[in-house]
Amino acid sequence: MKNITTYLTRTAAGLLLLMACKKDNYVGKDPYADARAPLNIKIDKTTADPAAGVPGTTVTITGSGFLKYKDSGMVVKFNEVAATITTVTESTITAKVPDNASSGIISLTVNRQLFAGPTFRVTGPVTPDLQFRSVPGADKNTIITIGFVPGGKYLIGGSFTDYDNSGAKNGYKGLARINPDGSLDRDFKVGKGIDGFVTCVAVQASGKYIIGGSINNYDDRFKGGYVRNIVRLLPGGAYDSTVVVTQLGNHDTVPALNAYLDASVENILQTPDSGKLVLVGNFTYFMRKNFAGITTDGKRDSVMTDSIRMEGLVRLNENGSFDSTFNYDAARRRSYEGANGPVTASQIQPDGKIILAGFFTRYHGQTTGPVVRLNTDGSIDNTFNTGAGPDDRVNFVELLKDGRYLIGGVFSKVNGKEAHRLAVLNADGSLYNGFSVGVGVNAGPNGLPSRAIQLKNGKIFVAGFFDTFSGVKRAGTVILDEDGKMSNGYNTMGGLSGSISTMLNVPNGNATIMAGSFSRYDLLPLNSIMLLRY
């Protein structure tokens, strides 16, 4: 009975509350009282006339209801850059493409109300080569590295599982060779491909390929630790192997490259004079197999692994043997101390000296900034001095034609001077004052340059994670003059949907091949690889 009484009491209270709500619909100011009435404007989103053109082109968008608002602060923008309106009728608006516009959506703003229109492609001196086969490209994940193969082909590596819809039983897992037009070179066969992923490639004078990364096997050829993060291949893609005769006279097929690393190889640098291989990575030990072993009972062969502590840096002779004349302390039978933090970038100069950069403060036991230069024997080059250097992480180093270095990363100062995410160092390591990006990429976590390359015409192409550059809409890429300012007329390309991991200037002609993990650029479908011409 008590429960029934409680229920009736609660029900009556609910009815009274409901009646009160109906009697007093509003308490306080009507939140919708100041809402703007929708404007009777419609825009045809399918196309503009013309659909593409250079800055200064007069473009017409069509629709209805325009004339009434001709003098109401009407604004037309090309990818967020305001244009000059020339004429307005009931069904058309014409406007001129502004100088610093890029490909994107044409929008109309009237009385603070925004109307999205059609897309427009702003054309300029830099454009993707539509004859280059960017689609279907890599099937998923990313292309991390590109190497030029004499004759015009390219060797690409990464974490993809197939390329160009090959139709091969096992695809092209992690590695492929492509023709100059971007199509798959089917004469290069990888079998079951890479177990892991590829971060760097090098082409030797012999025509063989050196592949580095986080690799546990190739074509499922060798077991038991015979493949560790570095592989040498024959020109056709087969594993470069050899036959060894063991202590007991048995014959065993093993990798011809007797080199192994205990962790990933991030870059392979080839010395300009002799073709030696400098490996940079996250490894601590360089290892090699010794096939001269035998079990204690004398009945079975025993393969032993010899290891040498080489902290993140080791050089191999052209044949793959260990080079003890580089970064090696013979007295302690190990390398000198490596960086006390990650090394994220490395380059080799024409004179053989090596630039390392990243997020560290010590190298070889010495206090350094996060950028250091090494002599050809691996010792620190003390003629290169950045002072305090960048105040935060460096993501990349690009060698410029004039002998200077472009660096980019998370830093905001270099040796105490303002340098927002991008800076140029002189050959002696000091900050070059002739380069300044001003505010540069937008501030915050979404403003980060990740890769750069100097084009053959001297312009600097920067890619990364940013939305604007110097206040101008630039989604993911920007082209700079050599002084760090946006290059006038060269930034017409629309946004990049994804990221660029690697760039390589094509030896013949003004063109650069770029790859990464992206699906569109400049309003065009481009699947993880493209060729830009300029």
Side-chain angles (χ1 to χ4, degrees):
M1 190 70 180
K2 181 180 179 181
N3 291 339
I4 294 175
T5 303
T6 301
Y7 170 77
L8 292 174
T9 301
R10 289 177 177 174
T11 302
L15 290 172
L16 290 171
L17 179 63
L18 179 62
M19 292 172 63
C21 290
K22 287 183 176 180
K23 183 179 179 181
D24 189 6
N25 290 327
Y26 267 132
V27 177
K29 183 180 178 181
D30 181 356
Y32 301 103
D34 296 329
R36 297 186 298 274
L39 304 181
N40 190 26
I41 288 177
K42 294 182 180 180
I43 296 179
D44 181 3
K45 296 183 180 180
T46 57
T47 187
D49 183 24
V54 299
T57 301
T58 298
V59 180
T60 301
I61 58 175
T62 58
S64 61
F66 298 142
L67 191 58
K68 178 181 178 180
Y69 304 100
K70 178 181 178 181
D71 300 318
S72 299
M74 181 179 286
V75 177
V76 171
K77 293 183 178 180
F78 286 76
N79 199 19
E80 301 186 20
V81 179
T84 300
I85 298 173
T86 55
T87 61
V88 179
T89 70
E90 179 64 19
S91 60
T92 64
I93 298 175
T94 59
K96 287 187 176 181
V97 181
D99 287 340
N100 54 355
S102 56
S103 303
I105 293 175
I106 301 175
S107 64
L108 172 65
T109 302
V110 179
N111 290 343
R112 294 188 296 170
Q113 295 189 45
L114 179 68
F115 301 87
T119 58
F120 184 86
R121 188 158 175 257
V122 183
T123 56
V126 181
T127 184
D129 184 346
L130 299 182
Q131 301 304 310
F132 184 84
R133 191 163 176 169
S134 298
V135 178
D139 64 336
K140 59 183 178 179
N141 296 325
T142 186
I143 299 172
I144 299 174
T145 184
I146 302 174
F148 180 73
V149 179
K153 297 181 180 182
Y154 306 94
L155 190 67
I156 61 172
S159 56
F160 52 88
T161 58
D162 198 15
Y163 188 85
D164 203 14
N165 286 346
S166 68
K169 179 181 178 181
N170 297 294
Y172 274 77
K173 189 178 178 183
L175 189 68
R177 191 170 67 194
I178 60 177
N179 295 309
D181 65 354
S183 62
L184 179 67
D185 178 6
R186 297 176 185 273
D187 291 333
F188 181 80
K189 302 182 186 301
V190 302
K192 295 182 180 180
I194 298 289
D195 180 10
F197 57 87
V198 177
T199 57
C200 47
V201 298
V203 181
Q204 296 189 286
S206 63
K208 295 180 181 181
Y209 305 134
I210 303 291
I211 314 300
S214 181
I215 304 169
N216 298 312
N217 211 329
Y218 178 79
D219 194 20
D220 201 22
R221 284 288 310 279
F222 299 101
K223 304 290 186 180
Y226 278 88
V227 180
R228 294 290 299 276
N229 303 315
I230 187 169
V231 173
R232 188 168 67 199
L233 304 179
L234 299 174
Y239 207 119
D240 186 12
S241 58
T242 188
V243 176
V244 297
V245 180
T246 65
Q247 278 290 92
L248 296 181
N250 295 315
H251 291 68
D252 194 7
T253 301
V254 298
L257 178 65
N258 192 4
Y260 311 86
L261 288 309
D262 67 320
S264 64
V265 177
E266 298 300 316
N267 202 5
I268 301 173
L269 307 171
Q270 290 176 282
T271 59
D273 53 348
S274 61
K276 291 184 178 184
L277 305 168
V278 178
L279 310 183
V280 184
N282 299 314
F283 52 85
T284 303
Y285 288 94
F286 169 82
M287 298 171 287
R288 52 195 173 190
K289 300 293 184 182
N290 185 338
F291 300 96
I294 192 170
T295 58
T296 54
D297 60 8
K299 295 181 179 180
R300 294 182 302 278
D301 293 308
S302 177
V303 178
M304 298 176 290
T305 300
D306 298 329
S307 64
I308 306 172
R309 188 175 183 92
M310 299 297 296
E311 296 182 5
L313 186 68
V314 65
R315 189 168 71 189
L316 307 183
N317 295 309
E318 192 169 5
N319 64 3
S321 61
F322 176 72
D323 183 358
S324 62
T325 67
F326 178 83
N327 189 38
Y328 185 68
D329 185 347
R332 295 191 298 163
R333 297 183 180 180
R334 53 155 292 170
S335 73
Y336 298 100
E337 283 76 11
N340 65 339
V343 175
T344 56
S346 54
Q347 293 279 3
I348 191 164
Q349 300 180 172
D351 62 2
K353 290 187 178 182
I354 295 168
I355 291 285
L356 301 177
F359 194 38
F360 53 86
T361 58
R362 292 180 65 80
Y363 198 82
H364 281 194
Q366 299 182 32
T367 299
T368 67
V371 184
V372 66
R373 187 167 68 193
L374 306 181
N375 293 309
T376 55
D377 63 357
S379 62
I380 291 180
D381 180 3
N382 292 315
T383 66
F384 181 87
N385 184 5
T386 63
D391 62 355
D392 210 324
R393 183 187 184 103
V394 177
N395 287 336
F396 64 83
V397 175
E398 170 69 4
L399 303 181
L400 302 178
K401 296 176 182 179
D402 59 9
R404 295 186 173 95
Y405 313 94
L406 173 70
I407 60 173
V410 187
F411 57 84
S412 58
K413 293 183 179 181
V414 175
N415 202 16
K417 297 181 180 179
E418 295 292 332
H420 184 65
R421 306 290 166 89
L422 290 164
V424 169
L425 303 180
N426 291 308
D428 63 0
S430 61
L431 181 66
Y432 174 55
N433 295 320
F435 179 93
S436 175
V437 298
V439 296
V441 300
N442 51 287
N446 294 324
L448 184 64
S450 58
R451 290 290 183 274
I453 191 170
Q454 186 170 33
L455 306 179
K456 289 187 176 181
N457 59 7
K459 308 287 184 181
I460 298 171
F461 187 103
V462 180
F465 305 94
F466 49 87
D467 304 313
T468 62
F469 192 92
S470 294
V472 178
K473 179 73 173 180
R474 293 303 313 147
T477 68
V478 65
I479 295 180
L480 309 178
D481 288 327
E482 294 180 73
D483 62 0
K485 303 299 185 292
M486 280 185 62
S487 188
N488 187 33
Y490 273 80
N491 285 283
T492 61
M493 299 82 65
L496 178 77
S497 60
S499 60
I500 293 173
S501 302
T502 184
M503 309 183 212
L504 181 68
N505 284 328
V506 176
N508 299 318
N510 285 345
T512 301
I513 190 168
M514 302 186 178
S517 179
F518 51 85
S519 58
R520 294 182 71 83
Y521 184 53
D522 200 25
L523 303 181
L524 301 170
L526 302 168
N527 193 17
S528 296
I529 192 166
M530 61 181 167
L531 182 68
L532 291 186
R533 294 199 179 275
Y534 44 90

